[in-house]
Amino acid sequence: MTKQINGLKNDFKLCPMCGSKEIENHGNRKWICPDCGFDLYCNVATAVGVVIRDRYNNVLFEVRAKNPRKGFIALPGGFVDFGESAEEAVIRECREEIGAEVSEVKYLCSAPNIYEYKNIEYKTCDIFFTTELPPQFETIDDFIKSLKAEESEVESFVSYKVETFEDVEKIPLAFESSKYTLKQLVGKKCN
């Protein structure tokens, strides 16, 4: 297990460049090696998610097929790749994870998150969007029947009605940023 330093779970014991044991953590923002001059900044990673819902306020969710939080519920999404915008990332993630083409996404909100994977803690800024249910589908459950899960990422699909803060609290969500986002959606009464 890695040592926790002032809220930062990740830490180096040796400089990744020269192997020195003198590497220092500076303010949980960067590591500096006084022996070789190596600097590493701990920047926030960008991830995206999308809320797809029907006119009955049923929202599409994935059951996660892998850790972190395997078996918990998540909104479709993932990390932004190099050279792509957040909007491009959410469209790509929909294509890859759920097998659906979405063309237009609208910004909803953003929230900080922690994504722990293989004992490394990634601090993220999760950017959430909404998109319309494709017009050929009446309900999210109809839409689910057309989806193709990326098996390495998605175990299955489920829908939950999201109309109140209490509805949000009942969903076994994988990430706090998703809970925040759904509460924002409920609070704004977006339709």
Side-chain angles (χ1 to χ4, degrees):
M1 192 69 158
T2 57
K3 178 172 73 176
Q4 183 113 7
I5 295 181
N6 297 329
L8 186 64
K9 186 173 184 176
N10 308 334
D11 199 18
F12 293 105
K13 306 292 183 231
L14 302 172
C15 173
M17 293 301 287
C18 72
S20 171
K21 292 182 181 181
E22 301 303 315
I23 193 157
E24 303 165 347
N25 180 299
H26 287 256
N28 291 329
R29 295 281 301 145
K30 71 177 184 174
W31 287 267
I32 298 175
C33 177
D35 293 341
C36 73
F38 172 77
D39 284 353
L40 176 68
Y41 286 85
C42 183
N43 294 318
V44 172
T46 306
V48 294
V50 65
V51 177
I52 305 172
R53 66 183 172 157
D54 61 26
R55 62 189 177 120
Y56 307 105
N57 292 316
N58 297 306
V59 175
L60 171 69
F61 294 96
E62 304 170 346
V63 178
R64 290 183 55 81
K66 69 177 193 176
N67 281 316
R69 313 282 291 162
K70 181 180 179 178
F72 282 80
I73 305 301
L75 292 166
F79 286 98
V80 177
D81 285 344
F82 295 118
E84 90 184 333
S85 69
E87 292 85 354
E88 290 167 334
V90 79
I91 290 167
R92 175 187 50 78
E93 287 289 348
C94 283
R95 185 180 322 108
E96 291 174 0
E97 282 192 354
I98 68 175
E101 292 294 328
V102 299
S103 57
E104 188 176 324
V105 294
K106 294 179 184 170
Y107 174 80
L108 176 60
C109 67
S110 66
N113 195 36
I114 297 172
Y115 188 89
E116 187 174 330
Y117 183 68
K118 295 188 177 182
N119 292 322
I120 301 291
E121 193 172 85
Y122 298 90
K123 304 289 185 175
T124 67
C125 178
D126 296 351
I127 303 169
F128 291 92
F129 297 88
T130 60
T131 192
E132 297 294 321
L133 181 66
Q136 66 268 34
F137 300 103
E138 172 74 15
T139 68
I140 286 293
D141 290 332
D142 292 335
F143 183 49
I144 286 173
K145 294 173 190 171
S146 75
L147 300 179
K148 171 123 177 58
E150 182 180 15
E151 293 178 8
S152 64
E153 300 280 334
V154 180
E155 185 178 296
S156 62
F157 301 106
V158 295
S159 67
Y160 285 93
K161 187 171 287 295
V162 178
E163 294 180 316
T164 66
F165 295 132
E166 292 78 20
D167 291 341
V168 175
E169 289 295 333
K170 292 176 187 174
I171 303 169
L173 292 164
F175 305 110
E176 286 297 315
S177 60
S178 296
K179 183 183 288 189
Y180 172 84
T181 296
L182 293 172
K183 286 183 175 182
Q184 291 295 305
L185 186 72
V186 167
K188 290 178 181 180
K189 302 281 188 224
C190 297
N191 287 317

